Amino acid sequence: VRAWRDIIHPHPDVAAGRYAQAEFAADLASVTAGTADPEYGDPAEFFGRTFLTGGMTELLAATALRLSGRGGEPVVQLKTAFGGGKTHSMLAMYHLFGAKADAAALAGAGAVGERAGIGELPRANVAAVVGTAVRSTTPYRVNGVEVRTLWGNIAAQLGGHDGYAMLASDDQAGVSPGSDALVAVMDRFAPALILVDELVAFARNLYGVDTRPSAGSFDANMTFV
């Protein structure tokens, strides 16, 4: 029997002795910031080393249908244990439907289109929010706009200054906007794909805080969610 190392080569993470760090390398925030390693930040590299499971293919197909206006669930909550692939799945959606890659050239894209029953995968305006990477005490800049809250952040990502202006008063007051206001933002910048990761970590920073943080109170954020 031939040795395994004569048949297949370890991934560079393993060969270089960086496996411990690589276990947690799937970071949506670093990908959106452009600081991730190519295996996660480059769409072709990411899909080239990702095995599209049945569940992931189904998720991507449902997203494609929704973004195409042909059905699909409007809200999907990913429920897995730690290391179960939540962030990896969101990275797949980010790369496949974002504007930075030719979806047709990505490995596995054809299978997603076939499963969805559509010939060309849709493009979307994407907002990605990672709870461990956003501030809760002071304003910060997103897409050239100063924002404070999750809803201000999302609006700025989807529509820049124009999108933020639609929720500016709610963002500055730290109060959750009404559903009509949110729908108006999504309609104007449709199709819109909103990815939220590590929400619990963000909410923990607000829970039990007496004074209202810049990001809005814990209750305001729960109302928004």
Side-chain angles (χ1 to χ4, degrees), residues 60-212:
L60 294 173
T63 304
L65 286 172
R66 185 68 188 181
L67 295 175
S68 301
R70 305 183 187 183
E73 292 294 330
V75 179
V76 177
Q77 184 176 2
L78 302 178
K79 295 181 180 181
T80 69
F82 178 78
K86 293 185 293 294
T87 299
H88 209 93
S89 296
M90 282 189 276
L91 284 174
M93 288 188 280
Y94 178 83
H95 285 314
L96 192 61
F97 302 111
K100 298 181 180 178
D102 178 9
L106 300 177
V112 173
E114 183 178 344
R115 179 67 183 85
I118 57 180
E120 183 176 351
L121 294 177
R123 316 302 293 168
N125 291 312
V126 182
V129 176
V130 181
T132 53
V134 295
R135 299 177 184 174
S136 60
T137 56
T138 59
Y140 54 98
R141 299 193 72 80
V142 172
N143 208 8
V145 183
E146 184 177 273
V147 305
R148 296 163 177 78
T149 63
L150 294 181
W151 43 98
N153 185 326
I154 290 170
Q157 287 193 60
L158 291 179
H161 288 276
D162 291 341
Y164 177 77
M166 298 175 72
L167 299 183
S169 60
D170 304 291
D171 178 73
Q172 292 163 12
V175 177
S176 176
S179 59
D180 288 350
L182 290 171
V183 170
V185 172
M186 295 179 196
D187 280 347
R188 180 171 177 182
F189 300 101
L193 173 63
I194 301 172
L195 305 172
V196 181
D197 202 6
E198 301 290 355
L199 179 62
V200 173
F202 175 78
R204 278 200 303 262
N205 289 332
L206 306 176
Y207 186 75
V209 177
D210 294 331
T211 58
R212 175 179 290 175

